[in-house]
Amino acid sequence: MFLRLNMAKRVLCRLGQWCSRVFAVECEPNSDPVYFGLSKNPQASLSGEQQTFEKIFGGAKSYSLHICTDDRFQRAMRYEDLKNNLISALPRGSLLDVFSFLPDVKNSLFRGFLIKDAEAIPMFHELVMGSWVNVCTYVQEEDGQWWQHLWSKSEDATEVLVDKYCLVPARMPQYHPSTLNIMGNDVFYSFGDAHKVMEKSVEIIPETKELLELVDQNLTLKRDGQFPVIVIEGLDATGKTTLTRSLTAELSAALLGSPPQCLSPWRQRFDSEPALLRRAFYAMGNYITASQIAVASQHSPVVVDRYWHSTAAYAIATAVAGKVSNLPGPGSEVYRWPSDLLRPDLVLLLTVSPEERLRRLSVRGVEKTREEAELEANHLFRTKVEQAYKRVEDPACVVVDASPPPDQVLQQVLLLIRDKCHL
């Protein structure tokens, strides 16, 4: 028992003292989280603060579960497994998101869940008492103070109280805590970093080895061609396909896309995997497309249907919970272009009104990815994607109103290309 208890304390020390962390509970989808910190000693607090804790933790016994490991691959896999198990075991709407983090410290975020009346879940303790899950219970003592009890499990399967902390209010950070883990978890800024995750994914998706062999044999990151590279970005049904085909004919250009066609055999599988693997897969697609651009631009202009802007915008919008204001602000390093990824000469972002986009989608009837389906159903998510698009830098998007008829949009875009690319 003591060996296991000491190990639990060493893990907490290595990952940052638990009592130094701030916690955020997402109580409502479109409102600010409730933030609290921890203290070893009771502190005087306002009645309103205790009422807030009562609202969150009162009633049936509450548990918070936190995936705590500095191994980002294990963290992603364990979080997804736990989430799926809890969703299948719990009534709809009874699972709240919890974030634990060190203020302003990148990659310090541990994602987790808050559950009320977890004792009612069959096999709950066997489900959550793992080596990467910190289990906390919340208790109101006689003086009215709320306490967090941190638990572990001994070698004989007995639950052991590791420590206890008094809940204290914490200041709201400038940006949502989920922004702390975007870099290297949701968005990749180098080929090598995405490649490392893909190498790890071979453990669970053996076919990935074929993809890595394809990449390692054929990838070139150096651009020698002098012809311009024009990227067309935008949400589905903004006219990207029509415009890219028309531009290709007008400019006698090569037409490429991201993700490239060669990734099709693996795309459906990775779309069902945790975000870390999914994002690394699409990052790899950008580098394959970049290699194709490098070759094609030696012979003609190149038109590209989506590129890194799409990968980054969707990933950032998905990773950041809540309101649009929770996104990292303009100028944040999360919007910077990867230093080793081929830069296009011009990026055009097509936009139409939400009503027009839905009208166009209604007549298409094509299969949609999970995120594309959410765009239709979730106005907030759509707005976050659009804002993230517009904040990517070097190169930034040039916004084009794609509401007019296609021939008018084409002429507008040709004028921009002649002005920016001197064609």
Side-chain angles (χ1 to χ4, degrees):
M1 177 188 298
F2 292 110
L3 178 63
R4 180 62 180 265
L5 185 58
N6 288 336
M7 183 183 72
K9 289 189 174 181
R10 285 200 303 272
V11 168
L12 292 179
C13 181
R14 178 171 56 84
L15 297 175
Q17 291 295 330
W18 191 250
C19 63
S20 299
R21 304 184 74 81
V22 174
F23 297 77
V25 181
E26 292 277 11
C27 299
E28 301 290 340
N30 298 328
S31 63
D32 292 323
V34 174
Y35 292 91
F36 65 89
L38 304 175
S39 172
K40 291 297 293 182
N41 302 305
Q43 298 183 10
S45 58
L46 301 175
S47 59
E49 295 166 351
Q50 295 302 325
Q51 288 174 5
T52 299
F53 294 146
E54 170 70 29
K55 183 178 180 181
I56 300 173
F57 305 114
K61 191 172 185 180
S62 295
Y63 287 78
S64 64
L65 316 173
H66 309 265
I67 306 299
C68 298
T69 170
D70 53 358
D71 183 325
R72 61 179 173 175
F73 189 84
Q74 291 292 347
R75 187 168 61 216
M77 301 305 296
R78 295 285 174 168
Y79 175 82
E80 198 73 15
D81 286 345
L82 181 60
K83 179 180 179 180
N84 291 336
N85 289 333
L86 291 174
I87 287 175
S88 65
L90 287 167
R92 184 178 178 85
S94 59
L95 197 65
L96 299 180
D97 287 323
V98 176
F99 303 91
S100 162
F101 61 99
L102 298 172
D104 302 321
V105 178
K106 294 176 186 175
N107 292 315
S108 67
L109 183 77
F110 296 152
R111 294 173 63 94
F113 306 98
L114 178 70
I115 312 166
K116 287 194 175 183
D117 197 20
E119 300 286 358
I121 304 175
M123 304 294 288
F124 171 75
H125 293 271
E126 290 79 1
L127 173 67
V128 303
M129 280 292 187
S131 56
W132 280 288
V133 181
N134 279 1
V135 179
C136 302
T137 55
Y138 296 85
V139 178
Q140 188 176 31
E141 298 194 347
E142 293 181 358
D143 60 0
Q145 295 271 356
W146 280 90
W147 291 77
Q148 180 195 82
H149 291 186
L150 177 60
W151 297 87
S152 185
K153 183 176 281 190
S154 67
E155 292 180 343
D156 63 358
T158 303
E159 293 172 19
V160 178
L161 181 62
V162 176
D163 220 332
K164 58 181 288 189
Y165 306 95
C166 182
L167 271 56
V168 295
R171 180 183 301 175
M172 181 187 301
Q174 183 177 6
Y175 297 111
H176 194 278
S178 55
T179 63
L180 293 172
N181 279 27
I182 286 177
M183 301 183 72
N185 291 281
D186 298 290
V187 183
F188 293 89
Y189 299 86
S190 73
F191 170 77
D193 199 22
H195 196 281
K196 287 178 183 177
V197 174
M198 296 302 292
E199 288 173 352
K200 291 282 289 184
S201 73
V202 174
E203 300 173 8
I204 57 173
I205 310 176
E207 310 95 285
T208 306
K209 188 174 180 181
E210 300 172 31
L211 186 155
L212 291 174
E213 290 172 353
L214 172 70
V215 171
D216 294 339
Q217 291 171 5
N218 300 306
L219 195 71
T220 175
L221 298 179
K222 184 178 179 182
R223 176 181 174 183
D224 293 322
Q226 299 302 310
F227 286 95
V229 178
I230 300 108
V231 175
I232 309 300
E233 293 281 8
L235 305 181
D236 270 11
T238 53
K240 293 190 310 300
T241 301
T242 300
L243 179 60
T244 53
R245 289 175 178 171
S246 299
L247 278 179
T248 301
E250 284 284 335
L251 302 176
S252 299
L255 177 59
L256 298 173
S258 186
Q261 189 63 34
C262 64
L263 292 189
S264 295
W266 302 284
R267 188 173 178 182
Q268 185 174 6
R269 174 62 188 275
F270 275 94
D271 276 344
S272 65
E273 293 296 333
L276 178 71
L277 277 66
R278 192 165 67 249
R279 301 309 179 195
F281 173 79
Y282 283 106
M284 198 64 64
N286 283 326
Y287 284 98
I288 295 173
T289 297
S291 184
Q292 296 172 346
I293 292 171
V295 174
S297 62
Q298 297 179 42
H299 309 289
S300 70
V302 181
V303 176
V304 188
D305 186 347
R306 288 187 169 174
Y307 196 29
W308 192 80
H309 283 73
S310 285
T311 307
Y314 278 84
I316 292 168
T318 303
V320 178
K323 303 178 295 185
V324 176
S325 59
N326 290 345
L327 289 170
S332 167
E333 59 184 338
V334 304
Y335 302 116
R336 75 165 192 256
W337 190 271
S339 60
D340 62 352
L341 183 64
L342 185 148
R343 281 177 169 77
D345 298 285
L346 180 63
V347 181
L348 303 174
L349 175 62
L350 306 186
T351 62
V352 297
S353 69
E355 295 76 18
E356 173 61 15
R357 201 182 71 83
L358 287 175
R359 186 193 67 78
R360 295 180 183 183
L361 281 170
S362 67
V363 299
R364 288 174 57 177
V366 297
E367 186 177 353
K368 295 178 282 292
T369 66
R370 177 170 55 187
E371 287 167 347
E372 288 163 349
E374 187 172 355
L375 278 175
E376 294 182 41
N378 189 331
H379 171 74
L380 177 61
F381 180 64
R382 182 169 64 248
T383 304
K384 288 196 289 188
V385 172
E386 291 175 336
Q387 285 300 313
Y389 262 128
K390 294 174 182 178
R391 295 178 186 185
V392 175
E393 298 177 341
D394 193 25
C397 292
V398 176
V399 179
V400 174
D401 180 8
S403 300
D407 58 334
Q408 293 183 27
V409 176
L410 174 62
Q411 293 307 312
Q412 180 185 359
V413 166
L414 286 171
L415 288 174
L416 284 170
I417 292 172
R418 287 164 186 152
D419 178 50
K420 303 288 185 181
C421 303
H422 309 294
L423 276 180

